[in-house]
Amino acid sequence: MIVGIGSDLCDIRRIERSLERFGDRFTHRVFTEGERARSDRRAARAPSYARRFAAKEACSKALGTGMSHGVFWRDMEVVNLPGGRPTLRLTNGAAERLAALMPPGHRPVVHVTLTDDPPLAQAFVIIEALPEGQSPA
């Protein structure tokens, strides 16, 4: 059962300006160490950061909180599953909100899709509640 859906569209040029203007102050405020390492390895840094920024915004919408109610930027981390598929690792306030969304006897599965077509980056997040013991499709 779907318990949350969020989407976000991010202007890559805006992220590029933030990287130029604020540098580490921006990246350390918004992104986890793992996200910074992954994005900083890429030749196209700004689109990589923009996709992750969009994913965090989309996730906060799927959680139903936005960036409030104890949900902060670094509580949501874009990570890749072994096959390369992106997902989100939630901690602190975001993890607490995710747990509160789950009906008894269910576990969360977070689905993420990321794309960019400069000058825009886009992310969709679907939070699914699966009965314990059931595998995701």
Side-chain angles (χ1 to χ4, degrees), residues 35-57:
E35 289 171 319
R36 292 190 310 268
R38 189 169 183 96
S39 292
D40 288 341
R41 280 197 309 262
R42 300 192 178 274
R45 283 179 73 219
S48 179
Y49 275 118
R51 287 189 302 271
R52 284 161 177 73
F53 188 92
K56 291 168 183 271
E57 285 279 3

Side-chain angles (χ1 to χ4, degrees), residues 85 111 128 130 134-137:
R85 188 174 83 193
H111 303 278
E128 181 180 18
L130 282 181
Q134 182 178 335
S135 298

